[in-house]
Amino acid sequence: MLSPELLKAAADAPGFMPDDEGTALATAALTVDVDGPLLEVGSYLGKSALYLAAAARPRGTTVVTVDHHRGSEEHQVGWEYHDPTLVDPAVGLIDTLPGFRRTIAAAGAEDVVTAVVARAEDFARIWSTPLALLFLDGSHTDESARRDLANWAPHLAVGGVLAIHDVFPDPADGGQAPYRIYQQALATGSYSELPGQGSLRLLRRDH
């Protein structure tokens, strides 16, 4: 079963993942039929990493988070989700890594969460381990969303789960880049859809 302590920590952690979607993500990670690490692209302050950790601990596997920790477009000055407390005054740039580390440490999850500070496309080039679950929740521009799918989907094991967050079919509800890569993945014929939750879509890689 999912770790109740880590589920509680995830629900209480700062971030934008609704609890019902986070629990659905954790459940998908717990029940996936293949072995391997769980990898997320885009970590912010660690909330979704804790939902994945709630599944990783009982599975005896690892959550790998990949984020440059300089924030997405919407976190920059003048954008909707800008938080001035996250700006490193020494360099004048967003730095979410200290907050991420506090979130993971406070939850007691440092044993199951491995943080990689890098651009996702750079790290993908040197990654070789088949993934049980791939969670795409990075920058939501079309270019970066397509790049994340192209670079990381080949690392997902057959039988593994591709999870995509912030999928909104109606443009009035949110940006369309995650929805478009969700459609792109389905159009390949390599995936079948699993029950999702809210804006979270779950796809199983069939071949």
Side-chain angles (χ1 to χ4, degrees):
M1 61 181 292
L2 294 168
S3 165
E5 296 82 9
L6 289 178
L7 280 181
K8 175 64 164 57
D12 293 341
F16 306 106
M17 172 73 79
D19 185 56
D20 59 345
E21 296 180 12
T23 301
L25 176 66
T27 301
L30 181 69
T31 57
V32 63
D33 290 334
V34 296
D35 293 328
L38 318 173
L39 186 141
E40 72 167 10
V41 176
S43 303
Y44 192 51
L45 297 177
K47 188 178 184 75
S48 57
L50 290 183
Y51 281 111
L52 291 172
R57 178 165 288 162
R59 283 183 68 98
T61 191
T62 300
V63 179
V64 179
T65 69
V66 185
D67 196 315
H68 50 57
H69 285 284
R70 292 303 187 194
S72 299
E73 289 78 4
E74 64 268 24
H75 300 142
Q76 308 307 316
V77 176
W79 287 70
E80 180 179 3
Y81 294 106
H82 178 64
D83 182 349
T85 68
L86 297 177
V87 176
D88 179 352
V91 295
L93 298 172
I94 294 285
D95 186 359
T96 56
L97 181 59
F100 173 88
R101 294 197 66 179
R102 283 193 295 271
T103 297
I104 303 305
E110 290 180 310
D111 60 318
V112 292
V113 177
T114 298
V116 176
V117 182
R119 296 192 308 170
E121 61 268 30
D122 293 337
F123 189 52
R125 285 195 290 269
I126 59 173
W127 181 267
S128 60
T129 305
L131 301 170
L133 181 140
L134 170 63
F135 178 44
L136 298 182
D137 194 23
S139 172
H140 287 359
T141 67
D142 278 308
E143 179 184 0
S144 60
R146 285 195 299 266
R147 187 169 59 235
D148 288 342
L149 181 65
N151 287 329
W152 281 103
H155 294 296
L156 184 63
V158 173
V161 171
L162 171 62
I164 305 174
H165 196 220
D166 294 330
V167 174
F168 298 109
D170 186 346
D173 295 329
Q176 293 294 284
Y179 177 59
R180 282 190 275 268
I181 64 167
Y182 154 74
Q183 290 182 306
Q184 180 183 341
L186 280 177
T188 65
S190 297
Y191 298 89
S192 55
E193 190 150 19
L194 301 171
Q197 178 66 46
S199 73
L200 179 72
R201 297 294 185 274
L202 300 169
L203 305 174
R204 181 180 55 238
R205 182 177 177 184
D206 295 326
H207 54 82

